[in-house]
Amino acid sequence: MLSKKQEYLETRIERELAIARQHGTKNKRAALQALKRKKRYEKQLNQIDGTLSTIEFQREALENSHTNTEVLKNMGYAAQAMKKVHENMDLNKIDDLMQDITEQQDVAQEISDAISNRATFGDEFDEDELMAELEELEQEELNKGMRDVRLPSVPSTSLPSRPASTRKRAEDEDEMKKLAAWAS
């Protein structure tokens, strides 16, 4: 009903505005009367908007209350179900069980450690002696490998007077000079 009244007032406001424009400067009295009616309709429209907002707010609050009621009811059911599940459990029994599990895990770890540690039945050796012996073996292998290496013989011809890199650079410079002369 309020929505229909809103639509009615909006059309009336538009009509009064059209009347005010129509009379404009020709009939100021009729134009002012139309603007006054328009203002009254706008005031009524604002009141209806406020009423609709209040009703919508109350509807939302009611919906939220209903939702909260359902949530609380379900939370109560969950609490009762948990209570029923836990009534057969004794906290002391659970603590004892957890202690037993911890003790058995400790025993299993000790057994695992005992099995994984290598047995030392007089097999202990001095690590430094073993490392020294290993180094001697490695040096012998290196020496044996060096005996079989053949080095190249020393060249019998004399070396050029100018190093190759300097000679190459001089040749490049000569070619650049020739190219520059050709280009100019």
Side-chain angles (χ1 to χ4, degrees), residues 8-26:
Y8 170 76
L9 287 173
E10 287 170 356
T11 57
R12 289 296 303 212
I13 290 171
E14 289 174 20
R15 211 178 305 153
E16 295 300 329
L17 193 57
I19 292 170
R21 282 188 187 135
Q22 179 184 9
H23 292 291
T25 55
K26 298 174 192 171

Side-chain angles (χ1 to χ4, degrees), residues 20-177:
R21 282 188 187 135
Q22 179 184 9
H23 292 291
T25 55
K26 298 174 192 171
N27 187 353
K28 285 188 178 185
R29 189 169 177 207
L32 286 174
Q33 289 297 325
L35 289 175
K36 286 180 182 178
R37 284 190 300 271
K38 180 183 99 71
K39 288 288 184 187
R40 281 196 318 264
Y41 293 145
E42 284 176 346
K43 186 176 179 183
Q44 288 178 15
L45 186 63
N46 284 336
Q47 288 174 343
I48 290 173
D49 287 342
T51 304
L52 285 173
S53 293
T54 303
I55 290 171
E56 190 172 329
F57 176 75
Q58 288 175 340
R59 184 184 53 82
E60 289 172 359
L62 184 60
E63 287 174 359
N64 287 338
S65 296
H66 180 68
T67 302
N68 290 340
T69 302
E70 288 298 314
V71 168
L72 284 174
K73 191 186 315 179
N74 286 326
M75 288 174 73
Y77 293 148
Q80 289 173 355
M82 287 176 66
K83 193 175 193 179
K84 192 169 193 171
V85 167
H86 291 137
E87 77 183 12
N88 292 332
M89 293 184 189
D90 182 14
L91 197 56
N92 292 329
K93 288 181 182 178
I94 293 171
D95 284 339
D96 293 342
L97 179 64
M98 293 307 294
Q99 285 178 353
D100 289 344
I101 290 172
T102 303
E103 288 174 11
Q104 291 307 312
Q105 286 175 337
D106 290 343
V107 169
Q109 185 63 41
E110 288 177 18
I111 292 170
S112 178
D113 290 344
I115 291 173
S116 65
N117 285 341
R118 58 188 170 131
T120 54
F121 299 112
D123 292 340
E124 300 217 7
F125 300 103
D126 186 15
E127 289 289 322
D128 293 333
E129 285 180 27
L130 292 174
M131 289 303 289
E133 188 175 342
L134 179 62
E135 287 177 15
E136 286 178 28
L137 290 173
E138 288 174 348
Q139 190 61 44
E140 284 178 17
E141 285 294 319
L142 281 174
N143 291 341
K144 193 184 294 181
M146 293 300 286
R147 280 188 229 133
D148 297 334
V149 173
R150 301 276 182 227
L151 296 176
S153 59
V154 178
S156 57
T157 60
S158 63
L159 295 174
S161 61
R162 196 178 212 190
S165 63
T166 309
R167 204 173 342 141
K168 175 73 173 151
R169 192 177 310 132
E171 288 175 7
D172 287 345
E173 287 175 6
D174 289 341
E175 285 182 28
M176 288 301 285
K177 286 178 186 176

